[in-house]
Amino acid sequence: MVIETATTGNAQEITWGPTSIPQEVANALNTFADTPRKAWIDTAWYSMCTAPPPARIFFKGARENLMSRLTVCQIASDAYTELGLQTEVDVINPRVVLKVRDQAKSMRAALPAQPYLPAPANTLEFRTGLDSLCHWTRPVCAPSSNSGDPCVRAFILALARRFADAFIDIPVEYVHALVTIGWPARSLSATRRVLTATVTTGIKLDAKAKLALESAARGATALTIHRAAASRHLMSASEQQEVEQLSVEIDRVRQGRRRFPSDAARLRALNDIAQTLDDPDLRADVLCLISKRLQDVAP
């Protein structure tokens, strides 16, 4: 990351990826990153994240504990760090969405009969993907190229997703307080225009779906390992591969990465795994959950 400094008013700013933030914020982030977790409470970054008035409202009830406060410090630090490592912010131009959708419709209408298509295009996955582009709309949770600073909009959405993943909640005023650490002049109304009710609901539903998939994968893995240990026999190569594949799936989900190119593909893979479960009650529960989600995401 190329770092340049500039003076704005009385504050010195530093280049932070595709944008800039106050020098003191960058210093606090760097110090926080180099500090052991047990000493985070003594850092300037901890104070920046937990001192704003909205923090007192958020940290009540089940969240009235040090663990929740440290989690917020971590997700805010990760969001700022992720932005600082980027060279540019990917945004979606609504006109491009319309253009792609029209082109997909034209291609779908012009496709010859399936037997004459090349093998890679003569698949359910290809036709499903093309059909989805025919009905594509701009995701409500994606930053667009509308007026305003796209870097800040992208950061707000990224921070909201991290809150949803950690707490299944998006406290808009607290998110705004964390945003103003880097951009003090940002207005609450501008943040609210990004985090509308539609957007926050969509992000929270995605977080809940991710949690459900992780739980299903973890349950299937635990049952597979338990059965292997209980049977006291050496696992076959296919069984070992299944355990390893499920373990990788869990790790990638925890890291926020996608194991498969789409939610539908991931759900179909989990459906195949669930079909192998011996416990009928567990199998029925997992298959029911996956079936309901497939109806929501599959065309």
Side-chain angles (χ1 to χ4, degrees):
M1 178 173 61
V2 178
I3 296 177
E4 298 177 354
T5 58
T7 301
T8 303
N10 295 324
Q12 190 175 54
E13 293 192 339
I14 187 170
T15 298
W16 194 257
T19 184
S20 60
I21 61 174
Q23 176 76 61
E24 63 174 339
V25 175
N27 293 341
L29 279 165
N30 292 332
T31 300
F32 181 79
D34 295 334
T35 302
R37 184 181 179 89
K38 61 183 180 181
W40 281 359
I41 192 173
D42 299 320
T43 64
W45 184 250
Y46 179 88
S47 298
M48 289 178 177
C49 292
T50 59
R56 293 195 293 271
I57 299 174
F58 183 72
F59 295 119
K60 287 185 176 180
R63 293 192 289 259
E64 179 58 41
N65 55 73
L66 179 60
M67 180 64 69
S68 294
R69 288 177 169 80
L70 294 180
T71 298
V72 169
C73 292
Q74 178 72 70
I75 63 178
S77 171
D78 289 345
Y80 272 99
T81 300
E82 181 181 81
L83 178 63
L85 294 175
Q86 298 178 30
T87 55
E88 61 181 2
V89 173
D90 291 329
V91 297
I92 294 182
N93 188 322
R95 288 178 295 181
V96 171
V97 173
L98 294 176
K99 181 179 180 180
V100 170
R101 191 166 64 200
D102 290 341
Q103 290 176 337
K105 290 179 179 178
S106 298
M107 179 181 291
R108 193 72 174 88
L111 283 178
Q114 293 181 19
Y116 302 105
L117 291 173
N122 189 19
T123 62
L124 175 62
E125 287 76 11
F126 173 77
R127 292 190 294 276
T128 298
L130 185 58
D131 288 341
S132 67
L133 287 177
C134 292
H135 304 284
W136 186 32
T137 57
R138 185 181 71 82
V140 297
C141 303
S144 70
S145 57
N146 295 332
S147 60
D149 189 337
C151 293
V152 181
R153 291 201 306 275
F155 175 81
I156 291 171
L157 291 168
L159 190 54
R161 282 192 290 268
R162 291 180 185 275
F163 262 97
D165 288 341
F167 300 102
I168 311 296
D169 187 16
I170 303 176
V172 176
E173 292 192 4
Y174 191 15
V175 169
H176 174 71
L178 296 173
V179 170
T180 57
I181 293 176
W183 299 274
R186 181 81 179 184
S187 68
L188 177 58
S189 60
T191 299
R192 282 176 172 161
R193 284 196 295 271
V194 177
L195 295 180
T196 63
T198 300
V199 171
T200 54
T201 298
I203 293 176
K204 285 188 281 189
L205 287 175
D206 287 344
K208 290 178 180 178
K210 184 190 297 185
L211 181 62
L213 291 175
E214 181 180 347
S215 297
R218 186 188 299 114
T221 300
L223 182 62
T224 301
I225 294 174
H226 174 74
R227 283 166 43 207
S231 62
R232 296 187 179 182
H233 77 284
L234 292 176
M235 288 190 295
S236 65
S238 62
E239 288 174 328
Q240 293 177 5
Q241 184 178 6
E242 180 181 1
V243 172
E244 292 173 359
Q245 181 177 350
L246 289 170
S247 298
V248 170
E249 167 76 5
I250 293 174
D251 290 340
R252 292 182 66 89
V253 170
R254 284 174 175 166
Q255 296 169 23
R257 295 188 291 166
R258 300 177 68 87
R259 175 64 177 87
F260 299 98
S262 68
D263 284 343
R266 184 186 295 110
L267 287 169
R268 283 193 290 269
L270 285 173
N271 189 75
D272 291 340
I273 294 170
Q275 294 282 3
T276 66
L277 297 176
D278 289 338
D279 186 323
D281 293 331
L282 177 60
R283 182 171 63 248
D285 290 342
V286 174
L287 287 175
C288 180
L289 171 64
I290 294 173
S291 176
K292 289 180 180 178
R293 293 304 302 165
L294 269 173
Q295 292 176 8
D296 293 336
V297 301

